[in-house]
Amino acid sequence: MSRTLQLDLPDETAMVACGGQIAAALAPGSVVFLEGDLGMGKTTLSRGILRGFGHAGAVKSPTYTLVEPYELPGQNVYHFDLYRLGDPEELEFMGIRDYFSADAICLVEWPERGMGVLPPADIVINIERRGAGRALQLAGQSAQGDEILARLELS
Ligand code: ADP
Ligand code: MG
């Protein structure tokens, strides 16, 4: 539960490609937290992950609905953005537990706003600015998370 991986991604194209590699390393039930300030690329990386699962269209930030469901061939992915969450209890009212099932993949932007109600992550991805690009730190938070990072290191 302590594996970490650092990546330097120079531009948006690299970010989307990295999302594809992450998608290939994820497993059903994976929970991914995406941390970093506004504009760091959380939605861009989510788009790359969704592309990796076969989603061809746009990815809008699900700011007003809190969650956008993607029913993709062979894999349901739920993309959360909790930026505008007022109180973590709202997550109880929306039936959060139904989304975090054993066979779905959940991507969560602004997970810190749902602390106490959100289930724990398998991996936490922190994104920071580095020059014109972005530095990513991926941290395993569970045995499954470490396996995801091990697969990613080999890819
Ligand atoms: P967030 O969801 O974190 O608020 P977005 O993904 O909506 O951020 O926006 C990120 C912005 O940063 C976009 O303009 C995108 O083109 C740019 N971007 C994404 N990844 C990178 C990267 N690796 N290097 C430089 N710019 C990036
Ligand atoms: Mg976003």
Side-chain angles (χ1 to χ4, degrees), residues 74-135:
Q75 184 61 61
N76 285 349
V77 182
Y78 298 109
H79 179 208
F80 292 81
D81 186 332
L82 306 184
Y83 186 66
R84 289 184 198 273
L85 187 68
D87 185 319
E89 266 194 18
E90 286 174 41
L91 294 174
E92 310 261 30
F93 300 139
M94 72 183 279
I96 186 93
R97 270 163 244 289
D98 294 342
Y99 293 96
F100 288 76
S101 69
D103 53 359
I105 285 175
C106 287
L107 312 175
V108 188
E109 298 188 35
W110 297 99
E112 47 277 59
R113 311 226 161 165
M115 278 309 159
V117 177
L118 273 184
D122 293 298
I123 59 170
V124 175
I125 303 178
N126 189 273
I127 311 175
E128 288 177 5
R129 197 184 295 280
R130 171 155 311 163
R134 302 288 186 265

Side-chain angles (χ1 to χ4, degrees), residues 5-26 34 41 44-53 123 125-127 134-138 148-149 152-153 155:
L5 185 58
Q6 322 265 351
L7 299 170
D8 276 328
L9 302 175
D11 55 27
E12 178 171 345
T13 303
M15 197 74 146
V16 173
C18 178
Q21 287 180 300
I22 292 171
L26 292 175
L34 296 149
T44 304
L45 188 62
S46 298
R47 173 156 47 91
I49 294 171
L50 286 159
R51 288 255 170 96
F53 284 110
I123 59 170
I125 303 178
N126 189 273
I127 311 175
R134 302 288 186 265
L136 271 59
Q137 185 184 62
L138 295 81
I148 292 163
L149 294 190
L152 205 48
E153 278 180 22
S155 69

